[in-house]
Amino acid sequence: MVKITLDRITKKFGKFTALNNITLEIEDKEFMALLGPSGSGKSTLLYTIAGIYKPTSGKIYFDERDVTEVPPKDRNVGLVFQNWALYPHMKVFKNIAFPLELKKAPKEEIEKKVREVAKMLHIDHLLDRYPWQLSGGQQQRVAIARALVKEPDVLLLDEPLSNLDALLRLEVRAELKRLQKELGITAVYVTHDQAEALAMADRIAIIKDGNILQVGDPDEVYYKPMYKFVAGFLGSPPMNFVEAEVEGDMLRIYHSRIPIPKQYGEIIKKLNITEVLFGFRPHDAEIVRGEAEGIKGEIYSFEPLGREQIITVAVDSDVFVKVFAPEEEHFRFGEKVTIVPREDRVILFDKKTEKALEYL
């Protein structure tokens, strides 16, 4: 297994810059997720690691070995695509065995390795079938088995679960995580699904417009986002943001005034900031009826979700925030309420740069 080092990688397609001076270290045996919206550059970065794309500038190292100019076949990577890319005329056994046959491995070795990896992925009973006879989840497992059978140093996965239905996605992602840890393989996983990244990865690199905005473990990027974009991209529903003006040691948020959270008092004075974006997650606030110190508003809508409900509160004519509430609480449309965010979970962002104040 290997450590991957990306050293100031830039990739241009004509005048378009897909990757902009990216530096990233992926540790040996680590599960790294590359997370971002469509067009952010995450797949381009994955294919650059694979050797399918050559960087315009910068270097790629597998441990101490410079692989920047090394072709994909000599990098010993396993690649799993979104669309599975199985050979329809080959049975499952042959599909899995294909990389070993290309390397002209002995027949006994091919037989042994194919059956081992098929058993590991619970598809050993499907080896005599064709891909068209399999479900989507089974086809994806065949694609993963084909990537693993050659014992790659690095496993690269490009949105491998996005074509599966929701329940199957949960099942396969749990298996993938278990497999990666069991095999001790370095894995890089591209996804636009923040829940997948949070559930599976050791660390997450959030990418936007060809730039890495933040790298950290799931708790770090979720609870200590560096940018408004990161805070808004993670979480379902995402973080709430409302504009706030600094008035002495208070913040004015539309029709409400609340104390500046203790952790930001000195930072605001030091930076001499007069306007901020006030951020808090829906599960880090409660809705209070009657008098309370918080953000005033009225009930706009409610969405029951079984054991809890999402309440949308209008804090101004066109400004809305979402808060979780227990299922047994009942609200009326237009009812006056106060939102009380957890002070220690509030994050303030600079209005101009949209960067969290603690990182300025």
Side-chain angles (χ1 to χ4, degrees), residues 207-249:
I207 303 178
K208 183 190 180 206
D209 300 331
N211 295 284
I212 290 183
L213 296 187
Q214 186 171 359
V215 181
D217 63 42
D219 277 356
E220 191 178 345
V221 295
Y222 187 80
Y223 288 111
K224 294 185 176 177
M226 195 176 286
Y227 290 92
K228 180 193 172 195
F229 176 83
V230 176
F233 199 74
L234 293 165
S236 180
M239 183 175 279
N240 297 300
F241 303 102
V242 288
E243 295 181 356
E245 295 175 19
V246 179
E247 296 181 349
D249 57 357

Side-chain angles (χ1 to χ4, degrees), residues 94-332:
K94 284 287 242 181
N95 262 285
I96 297 172
F98 190 70
L100 297 177
E101 289 176 348
L102 278 181
K103 291 164 78 174
K104 296 185 168 51
K107 277 190 176 179
E108 302 78 26
E109 183 188 335
I110 291 174
E111 180 82 22
K112 180 172 177 281
K113 285 189 173 177
V114 169
R115 294 198 178 278
E116 274 179 4
V117 76
K119 189 175 181 183
M120 200 186 300
L121 283 153
H122 312 300
I123 51 171
D124 46 322
H125 62 296
L126 304 173
L127 293 174
D128 205 35
R129 295 191 194 177
Y130 288 97
W132 54 268
Q133 295 175 302
L134 307 181
S135 69
Q138 289 168 338
Q139 289 187 58
Q140 188 57 291
R141 285 181 184 150
V142 174
I144 293 165
R146 185 178 58 193
L148 290 175
V149 76
K150 61 178 184 175
E151 298 176 355
D153 294 324
V154 176
L155 181 62
L156 305 174
L157 305 114
D158 187 16
E159 307 216 29
L161 310 184
S162 59
N163 289 343
L164 304 180
D165 63 57
L167 278 176
L168 201 50
R169 204 177 303 145
L170 290 175
E171 182 185 320
V172 178
R173 97 182 177 196
E175 280 189 21
L176 255 181
K177 186 173 183 177
R178 176 188 60 80
L179 264 177
Q180 187 266 336
K181 293 304 172 199
E182 260 182 33
L183 297 171
I185 194 167
T186 307
V188 185
Y189 187 99
V190 161
T191 182
H192 64 271
D193 184 327
Q194 51 89 23
E196 258 177 36
L198 289 169
M200 298 173 76
D202 298 316
R203 287 191 302 151
I204 301 170
I206 292 112
I207 303 178
K208 183 190 180 206
D209 300 331
N211 295 284
I212 290 183
L213 296 187
Q214 186 171 359
V215 181
D217 63 42
D219 277 356
E220 191 178 345
V221 295
Y222 187 80
Y223 288 111
K224 294 185 176 177
M226 195 176 286
Y227 290 92
K228 180 193 172 195
F229 176 83
V230 176
F233 199 74
L234 293 165
S236 180
M239 183 175 279
N240 297 300
F241 303 102
V242 288
E243 295 181 356
E245 295 175 19
V246 179
E247 296 181 349
D249 57 357
M250 304 290 282
L251 292 176
R252 176 167 291 285
I253 301 172
Y254 298 99
H255 312 291
S256 312
R257 288 179 86 246
I258 64 172
I260 292 172
K262 292 185 184 74
Q263 67 269 33
Y264 287 105
E266 291 304 315
I267 298 175
I268 285 176
K269 283 178 188 170
K270 182 182 169 187
L271 297 172
N272 197 26
I273 287 175
T274 57
E275 291 182 312
V276 293
L277 289 171
F278 184 101
F280 64 97
R281 296 204 176 275
H283 56 75
D284 286 331
E286 62 176 318
I287 297 177
V288 177
R289 292 179 166 99
E291 284 305 309
E293 196 171 65
I295 303 167
K296 312 294 182 191
E298 59 181 51
I299 301 295
Y300 182 78
S301 71
F302 31 87
E303 304 161 63
L305 300 174
R307 64 187 179 90
E308 59 194 2
Q309 53 184 325
I310 299 173
I311 311 297
T312 302
V313 178
V315 299
D316 198 42
S317 56
D318 59 351
V319 179
F320 306 93
V321 298
K322 293 184 183 292
V323 184
F324 282 110
E327 58 170 329
E328 63 272 10
E329 280 206 55
H330 298 288
F331 297 94
R332 301 185 315 276

Side-chain angles (χ1 to χ4, degrees), residues 60-68 70 74-76 153:
I60 302 168
Y61 298 92
F62 284 6
D63 287 336
E64 304 303 317
R65 179 185 173 214
D66 183 348
V67 297
T68 314
V70 174
D74 298 326
R75 294 195 186 194
N76 195 26
D153 294 324

